[in-house]
Amino acid sequence: MAIEAGSVCTSLTDRRYEVSCGTTAFGDIRYNCTAGQRIRCPRTAAVILRNVGWIPMAVTVVSGVREGDRRFAPPTTIAPGRTFTLRPRPEGGYFFDILVRSVKPGHGAVKVLAVR
């Protein structure tokens, strides 16, 4: 299952914990297979998210140069109603995961608007 527009990931109520969107809601985000192709999909270069919840969300990109190599970018805070484009780190060729966490107590939600 590939990441696709319309996917929504929600955070836990407890803001101390992050949720992995790559394995619980978004599926495998290394490749952009949203155009219907299933063979030799290009690497995912960007994911555009919108905070559709009522509280700010901290979003972290996990990328790397190969399987098993995980590099965590500093978290970005997305205010409610705002849109943000996530990209893998320049030295990390694969976009492995997106981690989300509520900045304030309560459930937050981000929605995928586009995958490039």
mmCIF file of all heavy atoms in Angstrom, residues 39-80:
data_model
loop_
_atom_site.group_PDB
_atom_site.id
_atom_site.type_symbol
_atom_site.label_atom_id
_atom_site.label_comp_id
_atom_site.label_asym_id
_atom_site.label_seq_id
_atom_site.Cartn_x
_atom_site.Cartn_y
_atom_site.Cartn_z
ATOM 1 N N ILE A 39 5.078 -1.013 -10.738
ATOM 2 C CA ILE A 39 6.438 -1.464 -11.017
ATOM 3 C C ILE A 39 7.310 -0.230 -11.248
ATOM 4 O O ILE A 39 6.958 0.661 -12.015
ATOM 5 C CB ILE A 39 6.474 -2.382 -12.260
ATOM 6 C CG1 ILE A 39 5.599 -3.608 -11.991
ATOM 7 C CG2 ILE A 39 7.897 -2.783 -12.603
ATOM 8 C CD1 ILE A 39 5.418 -4.491 -13.192
ATOM 9 N N ARG A 40 8.439 -0.186 -10.558
ATOM 10 C CA ARG A 40 9.406 0.907 -10.701
ATOM 11 C C ARG A 40 8.804 2.287 -10.456
ATOM 12 O O ARG A 40 8.975 3.203 -11.251
ATOM 13 C CB ARG A 40 10.078 0.846 -12.056
ATOM 14 C CG ARG A 40 10.843 -0.439 -12.219
ATOM 15 C CD ARG A 40 11.725 -0.377 -13.417
ATOM 16 N NE ARG A 40 12.282 -1.699 -13.623
ATOM 17 C CZ ARG A 40 13.563 -1.933 -13.713
ATOM 18 N NH1 ARG A 40 14.423 -0.972 -13.645
ATOM 19 N NH2 ARG A 40 13.998 -3.152 -13.894
ATOM 20 N N CYS A 41 8.105 2.413 -9.367
ATOM 21 C CA CYS A 41 7.585 3.721 -8.979
ATOM 22 C C CYS A 41 8.759 4.609 -8.585
ATOM 23 O O CYS A 41 9.732 4.133 -8.008
ATOM 24 C CB CYS A 41 6.635 3.596 -7.788
ATOM 25 S SG CYS A 41 5.203 2.549 -8.110
ATOM 26 N N PRO A 42 8.698 5.908 -8.864
ATOM 27 C CA PRO A 42 9.790 6.801 -8.468
ATOM 28 C C PRO A 42 9.824 6.989 -6.955
ATOM 29 O O PRO A 42 8.817 6.790 -6.269
ATOM 30 C CB PRO A 42 9.436 8.118 -9.176
ATOM 31 C CG PRO A 42 7.959 8.053 -9.354
ATOM 32 C CD PRO A 42 7.623 6.601 -9.549
ATOM 33 N N ARG A 43 10.982 7.373 -6.436
ATOM 34 C CA ARG A 43 11.100 7.655 -5.006
ATOM 35 C C ARG A 43 10.205 8.846 -4.652
ATOM 36 O O ARG A 43 10.072 9.783 -5.430
ATOM 37 C CB ARG A 43 12.533 8.005 -4.635
ATOM 38 C CG ARG A 43 13.474 6.840 -4.684
ATOM 39 C CD ARG A 43 14.843 7.270 -4.215
ATOM 40 N NE ARG A 43 15.811 6.204 -4.448
ATOM 41 C CZ ARG A 43 17.067 6.268 -4.095
ATOM 42 N NH1 ARG A 43 17.543 7.342 -3.510
ATOM 43 N NH2 ARG A 43 17.876 5.265 -4.334
ATOM 44 N N THR A 44 9.649 8.795 -3.467
ATOM 45 C CA THR A 44 8.854 9.917 -2.985
ATOM 46 C C THR A 44 9.792 11.082 -2.695
ATOM 47 O O THR A 44 10.752 10.946 -1.944
ATOM 48 C CB THR A 44 8.077 9.526 -1.711
ATOM 49 O OG1 THR A 44 7.200 8.442 -2.029
ATOM 50 C CG2 THR A 44 7.271 10.691 -1.170
ATOM 51 N N ALA A 45 9.518 12.234 -3.294
ATOM 52 C CA ALA A 45 10.356 13.411 -3.125
ATOM 53 C C ALA A 45 9.744 14.409 -2.149
ATOM 54 O O ALA A 45 10.460 15.192 -1.534
ATOM 55 C CB ALA A 45 10.584 14.090 -4.473
ATOM 56 N N ALA A 46 8.409 14.391 -2.014
ATOM 57 C CA ALA A 46 7.743 15.336 -1.125
ATOM 58 C C ALA A 46 6.345 14.840 -0.786
ATOM 59 O O ALA A 46 5.704 14.159 -1.590
ATOM 60 C CB ALA A 46 7.649 16.711 -1.774
ATOM 61 N N VAL A 47 5.904 15.197 0.408
ATOM 62 C CA VAL A 47 4.536 14.911 0.854
ATOM 63 C C VAL A 47 3.979 16.221 1.399
ATOM 64 O O VAL A 47 4.611 16.872 2.236
ATOM 65 C CB VAL A 47 4.498 13.819 1.950
ATOM 66 C CG1 VAL A 47 3.083 13.611 2.451
ATOM 67 C CG2 VAL A 47 5.089 12.517 1.432
ATOM 68 N N ILE A 48 2.820 16.613 0.899
ATOM 69 C CA ILE A 48 2.199 17.856 1.351
ATOM 70 C C ILE A 48 1.099 17.504 2.343
ATOM 71 O O ILE A 48 0.188 16.738 2.028
ATOM 72 C CB ILE A 48 1.631 18.650 0.171
ATOM 73 C CG1 ILE A 48 2.755 18.957 -0.821
ATOM 74 C CG2 ILE A 48 0.959 19.942 0.661
ATOM 75 C CD1 ILE A 48 2.283 19.541 -2.131
ATOM 76 N N LEU A 49 1.234 18.049 3.557
ATOM 77 C CA LEU A 49 0.295 17.772 4.646
ATOM 78 C C LEU A 49 -0.451 19.033 5.048
ATOM 79 O O LEU A 49 0.090 20.130 4.959
ATOM 80 C CB LEU A 49 1.035 17.277 5.894
ATOM 81 C CG LEU A 49 1.793 15.975 5.843
ATOM 82 C CD1 LEU A 49 2.446 15.719 7.187
ATOM 83 C CD2 LEU A 49 0.870 14.836 5.484
ATOM 84 N N ARG A 50 -1.668 18.849 5.536
ATOM 85 C CA ARG A 50 -2.425 19.945 6.144
ATOM 86 C C ARG A 50 -2.856 19.512 7.537
ATOM 87 O O ARG A 50 -3.329 18.388 7.727
ATOM 88 C CB ARG A 50 -3.657 20.289 5.335
ATOM 89 C CG ARG A 50 -4.518 21.352 6.075
ATOM 90 C CD ARG A 50 -5.581 21.889 5.231
ATOM 91 N NE ARG A 50 -4.871 22.626 4.179
ATOM 92 C CZ ARG A 50 -5.468 23.414 3.299
ATOM 93 N NH1 ARG A 50 -6.757 23.575 3.335
ATOM 94 N NH2 ARG A 50 -4.774 24.027 2.387
ATOM 95 N N ASN A 51 -2.704 20.401 8.495
ATOM 96 C CA ASN A 51 -3.181 20.139 9.850
ATOM 97 C C ASN A 51 -4.689 20.374 9.835
ATOM 98 O O ASN A 51 -5.153 21.505 9.721
ATOM 99 C CB ASN A 51 -2.492 21.066 10.858
ATOM 100 C CG ASN A 51 -2.902 20.771 12.280
ATOM 101 O OD1 ASN A 51 -3.930 20.154 12.536
ATOM 102 N ND2 ASN A 51 -2.110 21.244 13.224
ATOM 103 N N VAL A 52 -5.458 19.296 9.913
ATOM 104 C CA VAL A 52 -6.916 19.381 9.864
ATOM 105 C C VAL A 52 -7.535 19.308 11.260
ATOM 106 O O VAL A 52 -8.750 19.266 11.394
ATOM 107 C CB VAL A 52 -7.518 18.293 8.943
ATOM 108 C CG1 VAL A 52 -7.095 18.528 7.493
ATOM 109 C CG2 VAL A 52 -7.120 16.893 9.406
ATOM 110 N N GLY A 53 -6.693 19.291 12.286
ATOM 111 C CA GLY A 53 -7.176 19.236 13.658
ATOM 112 C C GLY A 53 -7.241 20.622 14.272
ATOM 113 O O GLY A 53 -7.093 21.639 13.598
ATOM 114 N N TRP A 54 -7.456 20.634 15.587
ATOM 115 C CA TRP A 54 -7.620 21.885 16.330
ATOM 116 C C TRP A 54 -6.388 22.281 17.141
ATOM 117 O O TRP A 54 -6.388 23.327 17.777
ATOM 118 C CB TRP A 54 -8.827 21.773 17.263
ATOM 119 C CG TRP A 54 -10.094 21.596 16.505
ATOM 120 C CD1 TRP A 54 -10.769 20.423 16.307
ATOM 121 C CD2 TRP A 54 -10.830 22.589 15.809
ATOM 122 N NE1 TRP A 54 -11.870 20.628 15.532
ATOM 123 C CE2 TRP A 54 -11.935 21.963 15.218
ATOM 124 C CE3 TRP A 54 -10.652 23.963 15.616
ATOM 125 C CZ2 TRP A 54 -12.861 22.657 14.461
ATOM 126 C CZ3 TRP A 54 -11.582 24.646 14.853
ATOM 127 C CH2 TRP A 54 -12.671 24.000 14.294
ATOM 128 N N ILE A 55 -5.366 21.427 17.146
ATOM 129 C CA ILE A 55 -4.171 21.732 17.929
ATOM 130 C C ILE A 55 -2.931 21.651 17.031
ATOM 131 O O ILE A 55 -2.940 20.955 16.016
ATOM 132 C CB ILE A 55 -4.020 20.775 19.140
ATOM 133 C CG1 ILE A 55 -3.961 19.324 18.678
ATOM 134 C CG2 ILE A 55 -5.140 20.971 20.141
ATOM 135 C CD1 ILE A 55 -3.720 18.350 19.803
ATOM 136 N N PRO A 56 -1.870 22.366 17.371
ATOM 137 C CA PRO A 56 -0.631 22.290 16.585
ATOM 138 C C PRO A 56 -0.055 20.874 16.608
ATOM 139 O O PRO A 56 -0.170 20.162 17.606
ATOM 140 C CB PRO A 56 0.312 23.271 17.281
ATOM 141 C CG PRO A 56 -0.549 24.142 18.121
ATOM 142 C CD PRO A 56 -1.744 23.315 18.485
ATOM 143 N N MET A 57 0.574 20.500 15.494
ATOM 144 C CA MET A 57 1.186 19.182 15.379
ATOM 145 C C MET A 57 2.673 19.328 15.092
ATOM 146 O O MET A 57 3.073 20.156 14.275
ATOM 147 C CB MET A 57 0.546 18.399 14.233
ATOM 148 C CG MET A 57 -0.922 18.086 14.434
ATOM 149 S SD MET A 57 -1.186 16.817 15.651
ATOM 150 C CE MET A 57 -0.666 15.388 14.720
ATOM 151 N N ALA A 58 3.487 18.531 15.779
ATOM 152 C CA ALA A 58 4.918 18.444 15.487
ATOM 153 C C ALA A 58 5.105 17.278 14.518
ATOM 154 O O ALA A 58 4.651 16.166 14.781
ATOM 155 C CB ALA A 58 5.712 18.212 16.764
ATOM 156 N N VAL A 59 5.750 17.543 13.396
ATOM 157 C CA VAL A 59 5.931 16.537 12.348
ATOM 158 C C VAL A 59 7.420 16.350 12.099
ATOM 159 O O VAL A 59 8.157 17.319 11.917
ATOM 160 C CB VAL A 59 5.221 16.969 11.048
ATOM 161 C CG1 VAL A 59 5.400 15.921 9.970
ATOM 162 C CG2 VAL A 59 3.742 17.222 11.298
ATOM 163 N N THR A 60 7.864 15.095 12.089
ATOM 164 C CA THR A 60 9.277 14.765 11.876
ATOM 165 C C THR A 60 9.409 13.853 10.663
ATOM 166 O O THR A 60 8.677 12.865 10.541
ATOM 167 C CB THR A 60 9.863 14.046 13.112
ATOM 168 O OG1 THR A 60 9.720 14.884 14.251
ATOM 169 C CG2 THR A 60 11.319 13.697 12.917
ATOM 170 N N VAL A 61 10.342 14.165 9.785
ATOM 171 C CA VAL A 61 10.642 13.330 8.617
ATOM 172 C C VAL A 61 11.770 12.373 8.978
ATOM 173 O O VAL A 61 12.775 12.783 9.559
ATOM 174 C CB VAL A 61 11.069 14.196 7.419
ATOM 175 C CG1 VAL A 61 11.585 13.336 6.275
ATOM 176 C CG2 VAL A 61 9.928 15.065 6.956
ATOM 177 N N VAL A 62 11.598 11.105 8.619
ATOM 178 C CA VAL A 62 12.647 10.100 8.791
ATOM 179 C C VAL A 62 13.084 9.676 7.391
ATOM 180 O O VAL A 62 12.271 9.213 6.595
ATOM 181 C CB VAL A 62 12.147 8.877 9.586
ATOM 182 C CG1 VAL A 62 13.273 7.878 9.779
ATOM 183 C CG2 VAL A 62 11.536 9.297 10.915
ATOM 184 N N SER A 63 14.361 9.865 7.088
ATOM 185 C CA SER A 63 14.879 9.480 5.779
ATOM 186 C C SER A 63 16.224 8.799 5.948
ATOM 187 O O SER A 63 16.754 8.719 7.051
ATOM 188 C CB SER A 63 14.994 10.713 4.870
ATOM 189 O OG SER A 63 15.845 11.672 5.445
ATOM 190 N N GLY A 64 16.764 8.298 4.853
ATOM 191 C CA GLY A 64 18.053 7.635 4.903
ATOM 192 C C GLY A 64 18.528 7.234 3.522
ATOM 193 O O GLY A 64 17.774 7.295 2.560
ATOM 194 N N VAL A 65 19.771 6.815 3.446
ATOM 195 C CA VAL A 65 20.355 6.460 2.151
ATOM 196 C C VAL A 65 20.118 4.995 1.772
ATOM 197 O O VAL A 65 20.264 4.625 0.619
ATOM 198 C CB VAL A 65 21.863 6.785 2.101
ATOM 199 C CG1 VAL A 65 22.081 8.287 2.197
ATOM 200 C CG2 VAL A 65 22.615 6.082 3.207
ATOM 201 N N ARG A 66 19.726 4.181 2.768
ATOM 202 C CA ARG A 66 19.460 2.757 2.487
ATOM 203 C C ARG A 66 18.599 2.195 3.613
ATOM 204 O O ARG A 66 18.419 2.831 4.647
ATOM 205 C CB ARG A 66 20.759 1.975 2.367
ATOM 206 C CG ARG A 66 21.534 1.915 3.661
ATOM 207 C CD ARG A 66 22.913 1.283 3.494
ATOM 208 N NE ARG A 66 23.723 1.484 4.669
ATOM 209 C CZ ARG A 66 24.266 2.621 5.059
ATOM 210 N NH1 ARG A 66 24.089 3.710 4.349
ATOM 211 N NH2 ARG A 66 24.980 2.697 6.149
ATOM 212 N N GLU A 67 18.074 1.032 3.416
ATOM 213 C CA GLU A 67 17.280 0.369 4.447
ATOM 214 C C GLU A 67 18.106 0.217 5.720
ATOM 215 O O GLU A 67 19.264 -0.159 5.658
ATOM 216 C CB GLU A 67 16.832 -1.015 3.949
ATOM 217 C CG GLU A 67 15.768 -1.652 4.790
ATOM 218 C CD GLU A 67 14.455 -0.904 4.778
ATOM 219 O OE1 GLU A 67 14.052 -0.409 3.717
ATOM 220 O OE2 GLU A 67 13.826 -0.814 5.850
ATOM 221 N N GLY A 68 17.538 0.545 6.844
ATOM 222 C CA GLY A 68 18.249 0.452 8.112
ATOM 223 C C GLY A 68 18.926 1.742 8.531
ATOM 224 O O GLY A 68 19.289 1.905 9.690
ATOM 225 N N ASP A 69 19.115 2.664 7.602
ATOM 226 C CA ASP A 69 19.714 3.966 7.905
ATOM 227 C C ASP A 69 18.572 4.943 8.159
ATOM 228 O O ASP A 69 17.793 5.230 7.263
ATOM 229 C CB ASP A 69 20.560 4.446 6.721
ATOM 230 C CG ASP A 69 21.125 5.837 6.932
ATOM 231 O OD1 ASP A 69 21.467 6.188 8.069
ATOM 232 O OD2 ASP A 69 21.226 6.578 5.931
ATOM 233 N N ARG A 70 18.455 5.418 9.380
ATOM 234 C CA ARG A 70 17.362 6.317 9.748
ATOM 235 C C ARG A 70 17.921 7.641 10.248
ATOM 236 O O ARG A 70 18.641 7.676 11.235
ATOM 237 C CB ARG A 70 16.485 5.698 10.847
ATOM 238 C CG ARG A 70 15.776 4.416 10.428
ATOM 239 C CD ARG A 70 14.652 4.749 9.469
ATOM 240 N NE ARG A 70 13.776 3.628 9.241
ATOM 241 C CZ ARG A 70 13.857 2.808 8.210
ATOM 242 N NH1 ARG A 70 14.823 2.967 7.334
ATOM 243 N NH2 ARG A 70 12.999 1.834 8.058
ATOM 244 N N ARG A 71 17.588 8.723 9.558
ATOM 245 C CA ARG A 71 18.010 10.061 9.957
ATOM 246 C C ARG A 71 16.765 10.890 10.227
ATOM 247 O O ARG A 71 15.882 10.994 9.375
ATOM 248 C CB ARG A 71 18.856 10.696 8.854
ATOM 249 C CG ARG A 71 20.107 9.867 8.604
ATOM 250 C CD ARG A 71 20.878 10.368 7.429
ATOM 251 N NE ARG A 71 21.886 9.372 7.076
ATOM 252 C CZ ARG A 71 23.078 9.684 6.633
ATOM 253 N NH1 ARG A 71 23.432 10.936 6.486
ATOM 254 N NH2 ARG A 71 23.931 8.728 6.330
ATOM 255 N N PHE A 72 16.725 11.468 11.407
ATOM 256 C CA PHE A 72 15.559 12.218 11.849
ATOM 257 C C PHE A 72 15.805 13.712 11.663
ATOM 258 O O PHE A 72 16.741 14.259 12.236
ATOM 259 C CB PHE A 72 15.261 11.925 13.320
ATOM 260 C CG PHE A 72 14.880 10.494 13.563
ATOM 261 C CD1 PHE A 72 15.843 9.500 13.641
ATOM 262 C CD2 PHE A 72 13.547 10.140 13.715
ATOM 263 C CE1 PHE A 72 15.500 8.177 13.862
ATOM 264 C CE2 PHE A 72 13.190 8.822 13.931
ATOM 265 C CZ PHE A 72 14.164 7.841 14.006
ATOM 266 N N ALA A 73 14.961 14.368 10.881
ATOM 267 C CA ALA A 73 15.046 15.821 10.730
ATOM 268 C C ALA A 73 14.463 16.461 11.988
ATOM 269 O O ALA A 73 13.644 15.850 12.678
ATOM 270 C CB ALA A 73 14.251 16.259 9.502
ATOM 271 N N PRO A 74 14.859 17.675 12.301
ATOM 272 C CA PRO A 74 14.237 18.356 13.437
ATOM 273 C C PRO A 74 12.731 18.485 13.200
ATOM 274 O O PRO A 74 12.296 18.692 12.064
ATOM 275 C CB PRO A 74 14.904 19.733 13.445
ATOM 276 C CG PRO A 74 16.165 19.564 12.673
ATOM 277 C CD PRO A 74 15.892 18.489 11.666
ATOM 278 N N PRO A 75 11.924 18.362 14.250
ATOM 279 C CA PRO A 75 10.469 18.460 14.055
ATOM 280 C C PRO A 75 10.047 19.855 13.588
ATOM 281 O O PRO A 75 10.661 20.858 13.943
ATOM 282 C CB PRO A 75 9.885 18.143 15.426
ATOM 283 C CG PRO A 75 11.006 18.177 16.378
ATOM 284 C CD PRO A 75 12.285 18.102 15.627
ATOM 285 N N THR A 76 9.010 19.867 12.780
ATOM 286 C CA THR A 76 8.393 21.100 12.302
ATOM 287 C C THR A 76 7.004 21.178 12.918
ATOM 288 O O THR A 76 6.264 20.200 12.898
ATOM 289 C CB THR A 76 8.266 21.080 10.770
ATOM 290 O OG1 THR A 76 9.571 20.985 10.202
ATOM 291 C CG2 THR A 76 7.566 22.315 10.255
ATOM 292 N N THR A 77 6.640 22.342 13.448
ATOM 293 C CA THR A 77 5.305 22.516 14.013
ATOM 294 C C THR A 77 4.378 23.090 12.956
ATOM 295 O O THR A 77 4.706 24.089 12.308
ATOM 296 C CB THR A 77 5.342 23.445 15.246
ATOM 297 O OG1 THR A 77 6.191 22.843 16.232
ATOM 298 C CG2 THR A 77 3.955 23.633 15.833
ATOM 299 N N ILE A 78 3.234 22.429 12.773
ATOM 300 C CA ILE A 78 2.235 22.878 11.810
ATOM 301 C C ILE A 78 1.004 23.332 12.592
ATOM 302 O O ILE A 78 0.386 22.547 13.316
ATOM 303 C CB ILE A 78 1.857 21.754 10.824
ATOM 304 C CG1 ILE A 78 3.096 21.201 10.120
ATOM 305 C CG2 ILE A 78 0.843 22.266 9.801
ATOM 306 C CD1 ILE A 78 2.825 20.000 9.248
ATOM 307 N N ALA A 79 0.664 24.593 12.457
ATOM 308 C CA ALA A 79 -0.498 25.161 13.149
ATOM 309 C C ALA A 79 -1.798 24.640 12.523
ATOM 310 O O ALA A 79 -1.812 24.244 11.347
ATOM 311 C CB ALA A 79 -0.452 26.682 13.072
ATOM 312 N N PRO A 80 -2.885 24.638 13.273
ATOM 313 C CA PRO A 80 -4.177 24.206 12.713
ATOM 314 C C PRO A 80 -4.534 24.992 11.442
ATOM 315 O O PRO A 80 -4.344 26.210 11.379
ATOM 316 C CB PRO A 80 -5.167 24.514 13.839
ATOM 317 C CG PRO A 80 -4.342 24.447 15.084
ATOM 318 C CD PRO A 80 -2.998 24.993 14.689
#
